[in-house]
mmCIF file of all heavy atoms in Angstrom:
data_model
loop_
_atom_site.group_PDB
_atom_site.id
_atom_site.type_symbol
_atom_site.label_atom_id
_atom_site.label_comp_id
_atom_site.label_asym_id
_atom_site.label_seq_id
_atom_site.Cartn_x
_atom_site.Cartn_y
_atom_site.Cartn_z
ATOM 1 N N VAL A 21 7.225 -12.649 -13.737
ATOM 2 C CA VAL A 21 5.876 -12.152 -14.032
ATOM 3 C C VAL A 21 5.922 -10.757 -14.638
ATOM 4 O O VAL A 21 5.207 -10.450 -15.598
ATOM 5 C CB VAL A 21 5.008 -12.165 -12.747
ATOM 6 C CG1 VAL A 21 3.693 -11.441 -12.983
ATOM 7 C CG2 VAL A 21 4.749 -13.594 -12.299
ATOM 8 N N ILE A 22 6.770 -9.890 -14.073
ATOM 9 C CA ILE A 22 6.742 -8.485 -14.511
ATOM 10 C C ILE A 22 7.672 -8.192 -15.678
ATOM 11 O O ILE A 22 7.517 -7.162 -16.345
ATOM 12 C CB ILE A 22 7.109 -7.545 -13.333
ATOM 13 C CG1 ILE A 22 8.576 -7.713 -12.943
ATOM 14 C CG2 ILE A 22 6.196 -7.766 -12.158
ATOM 15 C CD1 ILE A 22 9.077 -6.619 -12.034
ATOM 16 N N LEU A 23 8.634 -9.066 -15.952
ATOM 17 C CA LEU A 23 9.589 -8.785 -17.028
ATOM 18 C C LEU A 23 8.991 -9.124 -18.382
ATOM 19 O O LEU A 23 9.477 -9.987 -19.118
ATOM 20 C CB LEU A 23 10.893 -9.538 -16.793
ATOM 21 C CG LEU A 23 11.774 -8.984 -15.673
ATOM 22 C CD1 LEU A 23 12.996 -9.854 -15.458
ATOM 23 C CD2 LEU A 23 12.193 -7.550 -15.969
ATOM 24 N N THR A 24 7.907 -8.429 -18.720
ATOM 25 C CA THR A 24 7.313 -8.509 -20.045
ATOM 26 C C THR A 24 7.356 -7.118 -20.642
ATOM 27 O O THR A 24 7.363 -6.105 -19.915
ATOM 28 C CB THR A 24 5.853 -9.011 -19.979
ATOM 29 O OG1 THR A 24 5.071 -8.047 -19.253
ATOM 30 C CG2 THR A 24 5.776 -10.358 -19.267
ATOM 31 N N PRO A 25 7.386 -6.986 -21.968
ATOM 32 C CA PRO A 25 7.463 -5.640 -22.574
ATOM 33 C C PRO A 25 6.341 -4.718 -22.120
ATOM 34 O O PRO A 25 6.589 -3.536 -21.830
ATOM 35 C CB PRO A 25 7.368 -5.943 -24.084
ATOM 36 C CG PRO A 25 7.906 -7.336 -24.224
ATOM 37 C CD PRO A 25 7.489 -8.055 -22.973
ATOM 38 N N MET A 26 5.117 -5.234 -22.011
ATOM 39 C CA MET A 26 3.990 -4.380 -21.618
ATOM 40 C C MET A 26 4.144 -3.885 -20.184
ATOM 41 O O MET A 26 3.945 -2.692 -19.886
ATOM 42 C CB MET A 26 2.670 -5.136 -21.772
ATOM 43 C CG MET A 26 1.442 -4.320 -21.359
ATOM 44 S SD MET A 26 1.303 -2.731 -22.215
ATOM 45 C CE MET A 26 0.914 -3.321 -23.873
ATOM 46 N N ASN A 27 4.503 -4.797 -19.269
ATOM 47 C CA ASN A 27 4.662 -4.389 -17.874
ATOM 48 C C ASN A 27 5.816 -3.403 -17.691
ATOM 49 O O ASN A 27 5.737 -2.470 -16.899
ATOM 50 C CB ASN A 27 4.871 -5.610 -16.982
ATOM 51 C CG ASN A 27 3.600 -6.396 -16.768
ATOM 52 O OD1 ASN A 27 2.493 -5.897 -16.984
ATOM 53 N ND2 ASN A 27 3.731 -7.656 -16.365
ATOM 54 N N MET A 28 6.905 -3.590 -18.450
ATOM 55 C CA MET A 28 8.027 -2.658 -18.362
ATOM 56 C C MET A 28 7.633 -1.284 -18.901
ATOM 57 O O MET A 28 8.033 -0.252 -18.350
ATOM 58 C CB MET A 28 9.225 -3.218 -19.133
ATOM 59 C CG MET A 28 9.834 -4.473 -18.518
ATOM 60 S SD MET A 28 10.439 -4.233 -16.836
ATOM 61 C CE MET A 28 11.805 -3.110 -17.133
ATOM 62 N N LEU A 29 6.831 -1.270 -19.971
ATOM 63 C CA LEU A 29 6.357 0.006 -20.518
ATOM 64 C C LEU A 29 5.450 0.713 -19.508
ATOM 65 O O LEU A 29 5.571 1.929 -19.285
ATOM 66 C CB LEU A 29 5.604 -0.237 -21.826
ATOM 67 C CG LEU A 29 4.965 1.012 -22.481
ATOM 68 C CD1 LEU A 29 6.052 2.014 -22.855
ATOM 69 C CD2 LEU A 29 4.152 0.600 -23.711
ATOM 70 N N LEU A 30 4.539 -0.048 -18.883
ATOM 71 C CA LEU A 30 3.662 0.540 -17.877
ATOM 72 C C LEU A 30 4.463 1.073 -16.690
ATOM 73 O O LEU A 30 4.113 2.101 -16.101
ATOM 74 C CB LEU A 30 2.645 -0.498 -17.402
ATOM 75 C CG LEU A 30 1.588 -0.930 -18.431
ATOM 76 C CD1 LEU A 30 0.752 -2.074 -17.867
ATOM 77 C CD2 LEU A 30 0.690 0.238 -18.818
ATOM 78 N N MET A 31 5.533 0.374 -16.343
ATOM 79 C CA MET A 31 6.392 0.826 -15.244
ATOM 80 C C MET A 31 7.028 2.171 -15.582
ATOM 81 O O MET A 31 7.028 3.097 -14.749
ATOM 82 C CB MET A 31 7.475 -0.229 -14.988
ATOM 83 C CG MET A 31 8.377 0.086 -13.801
ATOM 84 S SD MET A 31 9.655 -1.173 -13.601
ATOM 85 C CE MET A 31 8.643 -2.606 -13.293
ATOM 86 N N MET A 32 7.555 2.310 -16.792
ATOM 87 C CA MET A 32 8.191 3.565 -17.194
ATOM 88 C C MET A 32 7.165 4.707 -17.254
ATOM 89 O O MET A 32 7.434 5.816 -16.770
ATOM 90 C CB MET A 32 8.851 3.385 -18.564
ATOM 91 C CG MET A 32 9.610 4.614 -19.054
ATOM 92 S SD MET A 32 11.045 5.009 -18.040
ATOM 93 C CE MET A 32 12.137 3.649 -18.472
ATOM 94 N N VAL A 33 5.999 4.432 -17.827
ATOM 95 C CA VAL A 33 4.945 5.452 -17.908
ATOM 96 C C VAL A 33 4.527 5.884 -16.511
ATOM 97 O O VAL A 33 4.341 7.076 -16.228
ATOM 98 C CB VAL A 33 3.737 4.918 -18.706
ATOM 99 C CG1 VAL A 33 2.556 5.874 -18.602
ATOM 100 C CG2 VAL A 33 4.111 4.719 -20.171
ATOM 101 N N GLY A 34 4.371 4.923 -15.606
ATOM 102 C CA GLY A 34 3.973 5.245 -14.240
ATOM 103 C C GLY A 34 4.998 6.107 -13.527
ATOM 104 O O GLY A 34 4.635 7.061 -12.826
ATOM 105 N N MET A 63 -7.007 -3.630 -17.521
ATOM 106 C CA MET A 63 -5.749 -4.359 -17.413
ATOM 107 C C MET A 63 -5.903 -5.539 -16.470
ATOM 108 O O MET A 63 -6.880 -5.651 -15.718
ATOM 109 C CB MET A 63 -4.627 -3.444 -16.891
ATOM 110 C CG MET A 63 -4.369 -2.184 -17.688
ATOM 111 S SD MET A 63 -3.057 -1.198 -16.903
ATOM 112 C CE MET A 63 -3.108 0.288 -17.924
ATOM 113 N N SER A 64 -4.904 -6.399 -16.488
ATOM 114 C CA SER A 64 -4.853 -7.459 -15.483
ATOM 115 C C SER A 64 -4.476 -6.824 -14.146
ATOM 116 O O SER A 64 -3.824 -5.764 -14.105
ATOM 117 C CB SER A 64 -3.801 -8.508 -15.861
ATOM 118 O OG SER A 64 -2.501 -7.947 -15.785
ATOM 119 N N THR A 66 -2.248 -7.517 -12.022
ATOM 120 C CA THR A 66 -0.805 -7.367 -11.846
ATOM 121 C C THR A 66 -0.279 -6.170 -12.609
ATOM 122 O O THR A 66 0.479 -5.345 -12.062
ATOM 123 C CB THR A 66 -0.074 -8.653 -12.306
ATOM 124 O OG1 THR A 66 -0.586 -9.767 -11.589
ATOM 125 C CG2 THR A 66 1.420 -8.536 -12.055
ATOM 126 N N SER A 67 -0.669 -6.022 -13.883
ATOM 127 C CA SER A 67 -0.225 -4.874 -14.681
ATOM 128 C C SER A 67 -0.741 -3.569 -14.080
ATOM 129 O O SER A 67 -0.032 -2.551 -14.046
ATOM 130 C CB SER A 67 -0.700 -5.011 -16.128
ATOM 131 O OG SER A 67 -0.157 -6.165 -16.731
ATOM 132 N N ALA A 68 -1.985 -3.591 -13.610
ATOM 133 C CA ALA A 68 -2.581 -2.376 -13.044
ATOM 134 C C ALA A 68 -1.848 -1.934 -11.782
ATOM 135 O O ALA A 68 -1.535 -0.743 -11.621
ATOM 136 C CB ALA A 68 -4.062 -2.618 -12.756
ATOM 137 N N ILE A 70 1.173 -2.603 -10.915
ATOM 138 C CA ILE A 70 2.535 -2.181 -11.253
ATOM 139 C C ILE A 70 2.524 -0.728 -11.700
ATOM 140 O O ILE A 70 3.329 0.090 -11.237
ATOM 141 C CB ILE A 70 3.119 -3.090 -12.357
ATOM 142 C CG1 ILE A 70 3.466 -4.461 -11.778
ATOM 143 C CG2 ILE A 70 4.370 -2.448 -12.962
ATOM 144 C CD1 ILE A 70 3.887 -5.465 -12.823
ATOM 145 N N MET A 71 1.605 -0.371 -12.572
ATOM 146 C CA MET A 71 1.546 1.012 -13.063
ATOM 147 C C MET A 71 1.197 1.974 -11.935
ATOM 148 O O MET A 71 1.834 3.019 -11.766
ATOM 149 C CB MET A 71 0.524 1.133 -14.185
ATOM 150 C CG MET A 71 0.410 2.549 -14.732
ATOM 151 S SD MET A 71 -0.746 2.663 -16.108
ATOM 152 C CE MET A 71 -0.732 4.432 -16.404
#
Side-chain angles (χ1 to χ4, degrees):
V21 171
I22 68 167
L23 287 176
T24 64
M26 179 55 69
N27 286 341
M28 293 300 293
L29 176 62
L30 292 173
M31 183 182 299
M32 183 66 71
V33 171
M63 303 178 186
S64 68
T66 304
S67 298
I70 288 173
M71 180 177 176

